[in-house]
Amino acid sequence: MFDNLSEKLSGILDRLTGRGALSAADVDAASREVRRALLEADVALEVVRGFVEKLRERAVGVEIIKSVKPGQMVVKIVHDELVAMLGANAEPIDLNAPAPVPIMMVGLQGSGKTTTTAKIAKRLTEQMRRKVLMASLDTRRPAAMEQLAVLGQQVGVDTLPIVAGQSPVQIARRAIEAGRFGGYDAVLLDTAGRITLDEAMMAEAADVERAANPHEVLLVADALTGQDAVNLARAFNERVGLTGIVLTRVDGDGRGGAALSMRAVTGKPIKLIGTGEKMDALEDFHPARIADRILGMGDIVSLVERAAATIDAEKTARTAERMRKGAFDLNDLREQLGQMQRMGGIGGLMGMLPGIAKMKNQLATANVNENMLKHQVAIIDSMTPKERRNPDILKASRKKRIAAGSGTKVEEINKLLKMHRTMADMMKAIGSGKRGPLAGLANMMGLGGGGMPSPEEMAKLAEKMPGGLPGGGAPGLPPAMPGLPPQLPGGLPGLGGKLPGGLPGLGGFPGFGKKK
């Protein structure tokens, strides 16, 4: 969502960081460009004015530290102001109230309110071990109640039985009563929406708010809303008193203005962001991490947290034992490729790496294929169990059969086998206990003697890594992503090799072939 804004701001700040000293004219010129970049990203005009004024005051003021280049200090100031605009700290959903805690969902029709309600219910049930009841208050949209009931079955969360003829206020009261008598910890109230803001919807939402007295009132807003996001957020906040915002379609091609505008105008925190269609595609909103990604500094902490959440500890332990014995076969490689897919694929991982935003044009010509992981998995799936255990028996006739079965070419099979041999040698070195650039990978994958580290330990590991960017950026990536070769000299950590055109460090990444 923030790609366009990230590209523009990075270009502006790169021109500043190369200067030995900055004049007031330099700061004014940069401020104008930042202002233009924010406006093009659909950030509200009033928000842009405040941001640029603070930026100019701090950059021309007394905050320039002698030991830091002025240009780098401006990067830090922009970063800090972005964090302040987005909210200083992450604020999760607050359940600190007598059970059942009423949570009211509001927003326009089509913003993803019903699906987000189910996602939040799943999150509260699985991550926070809470018993949740969902209730649809949408009596106007056809099949709205049935939709929530179907989603409830998908995520394993109870929904309030449908009673025809009841008003939204009556359904809300019945839901609270059912939550109380059923021993539920939280009750999610999915209210009705409209295509646009209108008085009838606002009056209905206000009536429900008075009847249910919700502890949380969450505005579900589409990240593609643009300039109108300010009016939407302000209108709901005045009528029902918002406590937080949930942004949907953050994985889309919106310009990011909605996120920057709504938080600044309402003063209410963005609590969650929807990053996809799947029921588990919902993440906490961390302002500092988002600011890092906007400025091209990556998001290492989120990356290692995602790794901790998706890597199966038991499978890792079994793989670890095989690696110690030097027995890394194609079944193990398939598991590594599957882990990469679960972590978001090549695109999802690359978006969190520092500096990648500045390499887009080079990546576009680097023969990057998002489907390459699927092709590689298909190749392995087309092999017999014997061939996966012993790749050395794969001769020409077998490769032709596998290529036909997987819809690929023999050349792709040869590339996969070469990658497997490289990784097998690496894993053998890890298993033998050798130190060096492989040590971080060994620890991440549970081969360092202590099993898989916790998310907290992984975050500390990321913070200690050298190579942090100027201005408070994210630290360097530990050479630790599953299935990736070790750090090579002159390359990005964990990615190895060099691409044509001077882009370092992606040659060993599955899916990055040589330019033809």
Side-chain angles (χ1 to χ4, degrees):
M1 180 180 70
F2 293 107
D3 284 351
N4 291 333
L5 180 60
S6 174
E7 189 173 338
K8 286 183 171 61
L9 288 181
S10 296
I12 295 167
L13 297 174
D14 282 347
R15 290 194 290 273
L16 291 180
T17 51
R19 309 268 182 100
L22 289 181
S23 65
D26 291 330
V27 174
D28 286 340
S31 298
R32 284 194 299 272
E33 292 191 59
V34 169
R35 182 176 187 272
R36 185 181 299 115
L38 293 174
L39 288 173
E40 288 178 358
D42 277 340
V43 181
L45 180 59
E46 59 187 287
V47 178
V48 174
R49 283 173 176 164
F51 182 91
V52 173
E53 282 302 317
K54 291 178 183 176
L55 171 62
R56 186 180 289 113
E57 288 174 11
R58 292 186 59 185
V60 182
V62 296
E63 296 196 26
I64 301 299
I65 301 172
K66 289 183 180 179
S67 61
V68 179
K69 290 183 179 180
Q72 294 177 348
M73 197 64 196
V74 173
V75 175
K76 182 182 188 310
I77 292 170
V78 173
H79 179 272
D80 292 346
E81 290 301 324
L82 277 175
V83 173
M85 183 190 295
L86 292 167
N89 301 303
E91 298 190 33
I93 292 178
D94 182 16
L95 296 180
N96 188 21
V101 180
I103 300 174
M104 180 177 170
M105 313 292 292
V106 298
L108 295 182
Q109 185 175 319
S111 61
K113 187 157 32 56
T114 300
T115 303
T116 300
T117 300
K119 287 182 178 181
I120 292 176
K122 174 181 172 69
R123 187 182 184 87
L124 295 178
T125 302
E126 295 181 354
Q127 295 188 13
M128 302 182 70
R129 300 290 186 265
R130 302 300 175 99
K131 187 178 180 183
V132 180
L133 175 68
M134 297 190 296
S136 175
L137 278 59
D138 192 344
T139 58
R140 290 180 171 80
R141 184 165 62 90
M145 294 183 173
E146 289 80 0
Q147 179 190 0
L148 189 65
V150 170
L151 290 173
Q153 292 176 352
Q154 289 182 12
V155 299
V157 175
D158 295 336
T159 54
L160 187 72
I162 300 172
V163 176
Q166 286 193 327
S167 69
V169 171
Q170 291 172 327
I171 298 173
R173 287 173 177 157
R174 182 162 62 91
I176 300 300
E177 286 297 314
R180 186 175 295 115
F181 289 117
Y184 290 91
D185 297 308
V187 176
L188 294 177
L189 305 174
D190 180 23
T191 64
R194 302 286 192 282
I195 299 299
T196 59
L197 289 170
D198 64 31
E199 180 56 31
M201 176 180 66
M202 286 300 181
E204 182 180 294
D207 291 341
V208 171
E209 193 270 335
R210 284 191 293 270
N213 190 25
H215 184 64
E216 287 268 28
V217 181
L218 301 178
L219 170 63
V220 180
D222 192 329
L224 308 180
T225 305
Q227 288 280 351
D228 200 44
V230 173
N231 299 330
L232 173 69
R234 186 177 280 134
F236 273 106
N237 191 42
E238 289 173 355
R239 295 300 291 271
V240 295
L242 299 178
T243 61
I245 298 167
V246 181
L247 277 182
T248 60
R249 299 191 199 177
V250 172
D251 57 323
D253 57 356
R255 299 180 182 178
L260 298 172
S261 300
M262 286 193 288
R263 169 64 177 82
V265 168
T266 64
K268 307 301 179 183
I270 299 172
K271 298 201 169 190
L272 297 165
I273 52 176
T275 56
E277 295 294 327
K278 295 181 180 179
M279 285 294 114
D280 56 356
L282 192 69
E283 299 178 2
D284 289 323
F285 184 83
H286 295 274
R289 300 184 193 179
I290 295 296
D292 285 346
R293 292 171 72 172
I294 290 176
L295 295 182
M297 297 173 179
D299 186 356
I300 300 304
V301 178
S302 291
L303 180 58
V304 294
E305 285 181 352
R306 184 180 294 183
T310 55
I311 294 174
D312 188 316
E314 292 184 6
K315 287 184 180 179
T316 302
R318 289 196 298 269
T319 304
E321 186 58 33
R322 291 176 52 76
M323 289 176 184
R324 287 194 180 95
K325 298 176 181 178
F328 183 80
D329 61 19
L330 288 171
N331 287 315
D332 299 315
L333 176 59
R334 191 195 185 288
E335 178 59 30
Q336 299 294 300
L337 295 172
Q339 286 179 3
M340 284 188 62
Q341 287 181 310
R342 291 191 293 273
M343 289 174 66
I346 295 173
L349 297 177
M350 299 297 282
M352 293 185 176
L353 299 180
I356 290 298
K358 301 175 184 178
M359 301 179 181
K360 278 192 173 178
N361 293 333
Q362 291 168 292
L363 287 175
T365 61
N367 197 26
V368 179
N369 187 347
E370 278 291 344
N371 292 320
M372 188 61 72
L373 293 179
K374 295 179 182 178
H375 293 170
Q376 291 171 334
V377 170
I379 290 172
I380 298 175
D381 286 344
S382 297
M383 298 178 184
T384 65
K386 183 178 179 180
E387 290 168 342
R388 294 181 204 172
R389 290 192 299 269
N390 185 16
D392 293 335
I393 67 174
L394 290 173
K395 305 303 179 185
S397 60
R398 291 178 183 263
K399 290 178 182 178
K400 289 180 181 178
R401 189 203 79 239
I402 294 168
S406 59
T408 57
K409 298 179 180 179
V410 173
E411 290 83 355
E412 293 180 62
I413 297 172
N414 289 334
K415 286 181 182 179
L416 178 70
L417 294 176
K418 182 178 180 181
M419 183 178 73
H420 169 258
R421 284 194 297 271
T422 302
M423 292 179 62
D425 292 340
M426 178 188 70
M427 298 306 175
K428 191 172 182 180
I430 293 175
S432 65
K434 294 180 180 179
R435 305 301 294 175
L438 301 180
L441 180 58
N443 291 331
M444 270 281 282
M445 299 185 70
L447 302 177
M452 277 297 295
S454 67
E456 293 79 10
E457 292 170 332
M458 296 174 83
K460 290 179 181 177
L461 172 65
E463 291 170 1
K464 292 177 181 178
M465 290 299 296
L469 298 181
L477 175 70
M481 286 160 46
L484 300 187
Q487 180 172 355
L488 296 181
L492 285 178
L495 301 183
K498 272 200 174 184
L499 284 178
L503 174 60
L506 297 174
F509 199 110
F512 285 81
K514 292 183 179 179
K515 186 177 180 183
K516 296 181 180 178

